[in-house]
Amino acid sequence: MLIASRNRLARLQYGPNGFRILSPGDHVLCAVTGVVIGLDELRYWSVARQEPYASAAISTQAALDDARKA
């Protein structure tokens, strides 16, 4: 990771098997809680909604909430 990318919000494209960095940075924000997630700690996201999540529980809850809206 480049030094210039430290303490900077990254912009990512989420895919089914990983993500692609569109704008360099070292973290993203959880779409539900707003908590900072380091890119090296990012494990949960929605490809359909293009959102990162801090935990599996938060990811599941976001999916359930989205299904209820449909």
Side-chain angles (χ1 to χ4, degrees):
M1 181 100 10
L2 298 172
I3 292 174
S5 297
R6 286 199 175 154
N7 298 319
R8 189 169 174 201
L9 186 65
R11 196 166 62 94
L12 307 177
Q13 180 180 23
Y14 302 97
N17 298 316
F19 54 83
R20 188 172 74 142
I21 299 174
L22 301 175
S23 293
D26 65 346
H27 68 279
V28 292
L29 301 177
C30 176
V32 175
T33 66
V35 71
V36 173
I37 309 165
L39 295 188
D40 57 337
E41 299 169 357
L42 180 59
R43 303 285 183 269
Y44 308 101
W45 58 81
S46 168
V47 175
R49 290 183 300 282
Q50 290 293 294
E51 296 178 336
Y53 305 109
S55 71
I58 293 170
S59 173
T60 301
Q61 189 60 53
L64 291 171
D65 292 346
D66 193 51
R68 286 186 195 118
K69 291 177 188 175

